[in-house]
Amino acid sequence: CEYCANFMWGLIAQGVRCSDCGLNVHKQCSKHVPNDCQPDLKRIKKVYCCDLTTLVKAHNTQRPMVVDICIREIEARGLKSEGLYRVSGFTEHIEDVKMAFDRDGEKADISANIYPDINIITGALKLYFRDLPIPVITYDTYPKFIEAAKISNADERLEAVHDVLMLLPPAHYETLRYLMIHLKKVTLNEKDNLMNAENLGIVFGPTLMRSPEDSTLTTLHDMRYQKLIVQILIENEDVL
């Protein structure tokens, strides 16, 4: 055991291993180990489907580089594209981009020479968010955001949303903040791309937040509140 230095009768019977840093400890000792380890890059085989905080810590960045790279590309050549984020790109090509990020990390080439259709890049970004094991808006904060969305007074609702935002883990908060600055830029080009905050809320609501209860009924019931939360975050990006 790397905590108490005593013998361990087989990892299966007595021990646990941290999937981020590889630390091997007794099950009992694991309660005393701080859970803010530095993930080992050798253990992180991919970018997609990897916990957001783990990825950010392993690469020592504020946000996942896939978010930065996709947003840079979209802002460079796609802000005026009609139906941006609403129009889907070819699934095969989106999978290609995913594989490129998993294989090459920040060296992945998503330029116009290889992917002239900007909808492939927006599709790859949305897929990244959908594939997160814990959504950007975490399961813990989800019910609080839904409650905030139900407040009828606009000022009180905004205040409630702000309070819940403060509960997000740093990597989730920073990723959400960066995305909202970007989506605000998308809405500023609405006359070309026809995408306002409400339209983007419909697209990004279920992408950024998922109910901890895996029930179709809850999902359907919450959809309008998910849309509203994202719409509020975009429209009030500067104050929030």
Side-chain angles (χ1 to χ4, degrees), residues 141-180:
T141 58
Y142 180 90
K144 297 182 178 77
F145 272 110
I146 297 294
E147 285 312 307
K150 292 176 179 174
I151 298 169
S152 51
N153 179 293
D155 290 341
E156 286 174 23
R157 188 170 57 210
L158 197 61
E159 184 118 356
V161 169
H162 175 267
D163 291 346
V164 189
L165 273 177
M166 295 299 114
L167 303 174
L168 286 173
H172 288 250
Y173 176 87
E174 179 52 37
T175 303
L176 187 63
R177 186 188 71 82
Y178 191 72
L179 177 65
M180 291 308 137

Side-chain angles (χ1 to χ4, degrees), residues 3-239:
Y3 179 76
C4 71
N6 286 324
F7 193 73
M8 195 149 48
W9 290 99
L11 194 61
I12 310 297
Q14 272 200 311
V16 286
R17 173 184 285 136
C18 174
S19 58
D20 288 350
C21 70
L23 187 79
N24 296 317
V25 291
H26 286 113
K27 283 177 185 158
Q28 284 304 105
C29 292
S30 69
K31 296 171 188 159
H32 309 294
V33 178
N35 57 8
D36 58 347
C37 63
Q38 182 59 38
D40 181 354
L41 264 178
K42 290 200 293 291
R43 295 182 161 275
I44 294 165
K45 300 281 188 271
K46 50 191 182 178
V47 173
Y48 278 68
C49 305
C50 175
D51 176 68
L52 204 159
T53 302
T54 297
L55 191 70
V56 164
K57 274 188 172 183
H59 289 274
N60 198 20
T61 53
Q62 280 189 296
R63 301 174 294 275
M65 45 73 179
V66 60
V67 174
D68 281 20
I69 294 167
C70 287
I71 285 178
R72 242 192 337 263
E73 193 65 29
I74 294 159
E75 291 187 355
R77 60 185 173 101
L79 285 178
K80 294 188 184 324
S81 175
E82 190 176 320
L84 190 70
Y85 286 112
R86 194 181 63 229
V87 176
S88 300
F90 279 121
T91 310
E92 289 164 42
H93 295 165
I94 292 169
E95 282 295 324
D96 284 349
V97 174
K98 172 182 173 173
M99 280 161 62
F101 275 118
D102 281 344
R103 188 182 59 238
D104 308 324
E106 54 205 33
K107 295 187 182 73
D109 185 355
I110 59 166
S111 63
N113 309 333
I114 301 183
Y115 302 107
D117 180 6
I118 198 64
N119 299 314
I120 291 162
I121 311 304
T122 59
L125 182 61
K126 287 187 294 184
L127 181 63
Y128 172 74
F129 291 131
R130 279 200 302 275
D131 275 357
L132 284 171
I134 299 171
V136 176
I137 286 175
T138 59
Y139 292 126
D140 288 349
T141 58
Y142 180 90
K144 297 182 178 77
F145 272 110
I146 297 294
E147 285 312 307
K150 292 176 179 174
I151 298 169
S152 51
N153 179 293
D155 290 341
E156 286 174 23
R157 188 170 57 210
L158 197 61
E159 184 118 356
V161 169
H162 175 267
D163 291 346
V164 189
L165 273 177
M166 295 299 114
L167 303 174
L168 286 173
H172 288 250
Y173 176 87
E174 179 52 37
T175 303
L176 187 63
R177 186 188 71 82
Y178 191 72
L179 177 65
M180 291 308 137
I181 291 170
H182 164 64
L183 294 181
K184 187 68 172 270
K185 287 180 193 164
V186 173
T187 64
L188 297 176
N189 290 275
E190 187 195 341
K191 67 177 194 298
D192 295 303
N193 61 36
L194 310 179
M195 294 301 283
N196 58 23
E198 187 176 359
N199 293 339
L200 290 167
I202 294 167
V203 173
F204 275 96
T207 305
L208 297 176
M209 50 198 305
R210 301 193 292 276
S211 169
E213 299 168 40
D214 192 15
S215 119
T216 316
L217 207 62
T218 310
T219 307
L220 285 171
H221 179 262
D222 288 354
M223 271 173 89
R224 61 192 176 126
Y225 299 118
Q226 292 173 345
K227 180 208 79 169
L228 185 58
I229 286 295
V230 176
Q231 187 179 340
I232 289 166
L233 290 173
I234 298 169
E235 289 171 345
N236 302 281
E237 166 271 315
D238 48 348
V239 284

